[in-house]
Amino acid sequence: MRKNTNPVDAYVKSLLGEQLPSQIPAIESQLIKDDLLGINIGFTEAAILTFLIKSLKVETILEIGTQYGYSTTWMLEALPPHGRIISLEKDEKHHHQAQKNIQDGRCELLFGDAREILQTRLQNQQFDMVFIDANKKAYPDYLTYACDHVKKGGIVVGDNTFLFGAVFEAPDVVQKNAMASAMHKFNQTLFADTRFVSCILPTVEGLTVGYRNI
Ligand SMILES: C[S@@+](CC[C@H](N)C(=O)[O-])C[C@H]1O[C@@H](n2cnc3c(N)ncnc32)[C@H](O)[C@@H]1O
């Protein structure tokens, strides 16, 4: 969970100023009330996603892990009027809250287990960007889908890819920790995929980005 006292985030928030989407303060209040603030992305990640979407002219996004629609709202703000986001969430309460928070015809919120939806409803879709921010052990599976369904010139973005520092441990320690080894596999697989040029933006929690150039 991101600490709300992170000074970088507070500073980025102050720089964003008027660029804050109007719904964000209300969603933040709901997250605070339900003791979920910090599970969502922070202002630093929001600014990075906005930068990537606008500079790469992203038009179609798949998000895995909607929660209350905080990151979805930021990404909708960055998308052009004809853009589109599909966001996946398996927790019923989170999905319903996101439905209340997002009233935008460009966004489709799908309820259910992401792996199942990817293999069925979304098996023939292509996206300019896939943003992965859900259950950590499934990141390698989400990556397999993302690498094959991101268009040339598109990006795969994964949040929390330092896994709270666990991926920095010695290889044998990482291997014994199922979540850390899944996250290490995610980073290693994306970096090894020759269709992509990849990097990790060293945010507090790690944000891995792969750009598909083949
Ligand atoms: C870190 S939160 C997402 C935060 C959101 N992206 C944001 O920044 O506002 C992760 C979400 O993924 C959801 N999730 C966990 N496992 C899932 C699965 N198998 N399929 C779909 N969603 C899942 C959780 O219920 C939770 O709401």
Side-chain angles (χ1 to χ4, degrees):
M1 186 184 284
R2 252 171 219 91
K3 289 216 170 65
N4 301 322
T5 51
N6 168 4
V8 178
D9 240 28
Y11 184 58
V12 172
K13 183 181 182 186
S14 76
L15 295 174
L16 287 169
E18 297 301 309
Q19 294 171 51
L20 210 64
S22 58
Q23 312 92 318
I24 286 297
I27 302 176
E28 262 184 13
S29 301
Q30 291 160 5
L31 290 165
I32 291 169
K33 183 166 94 28
D34 296 343
D35 203 19
L36 290 172
L37 189 73
I39 292 174
N40 55 299
I41 60 164
F43 290 100
T44 309
E45 292 78 17
I48 293 170
L49 293 177
T50 300
F51 168 81
L52 291 170
I53 292 166
K54 292 196 173 195
S55 57
L56 295 172
K57 303 198 185 330
V58 165
E59 296 183 352
T60 53
I61 300 174
L62 169 68
E63 176 178 52
I64 305 176
T66 320
Q67 203 199 33
Y68 283 10
Y70 183 92
S71 50
T72 325
T73 299
W74 275 102
M75 292 193 286
L76 279 165
E77 186 88 353
L79 273 180
H82 57 277
R84 191 169 59 89
I85 296 186
I86 295 176
S87 186
L88 315 183
E89 176 56 59
K90 75 149 199 196
D91 181 291
E92 209 167 344
K93 180 177 177 239
H94 292 183
H95 172 70
H96 284 137
Q97 190 60 58
Q99 282 181 316
K100 285 186 200 156
N101 291 340
I102 298 173
Q103 313 283 326
D104 189 317
R106 297 174 300 162
C107 181
E108 194 179 351
L109 299 171
L110 300 183
F111 173 65
D113 177 67
R115 272 188 284 209
E116 205 180 306
I117 298 172
L118 298 179
Q119 285 161 13
T120 53
R121 293 181 67 168
L122 301 184
Q123 65 171 327
N124 296 319
Q125 301 258 358
Q126 294 277 302
F127 299 92
D128 296 325
M129 171 173 164
V130 177
F131 176 49
I132 301 168
D133 190 20
N135 49 326
K136 309 309 167 205
K137 281 191 204 159
Y139 267 44
D141 292 338
Y142 299 150
L143 183 66
T144 301
Y145 175 91
C147 288
D148 290 339
H149 293 80
V150 158
K151 297 176 195 167
K152 185 178 170 190
I155 47 171
V156 176
V157 183
D159 195 17
N160 313 110
T161 52
F162 293 154
L163 198 73
F164 319 107
V167 295
F168 306 143
E169 298 289 344
D172 59 319
V173 177
V174 171
Q175 210 175 8
K176 285 184 199 135
N177 174 340
M179 269 204 270
S181 70
M183 196 57 86
H184 176 59
K185 186 176 173 194
F186 173 89
N187 287 322
Q188 199 176 35
T189 307
L190 186 54
F191 270 71
D193 192 321
T194 52
R195 293 169 295 177
F196 289 82
V197 54
S198 299
C199 69
I200 300 188
L201 301 178
T203 55
V204 173
E205 302 210 348
L207 195 72
T208 301
V209 182
Y211 173 81
R212 183 163 179 172
N213 58 7
I214 296 174

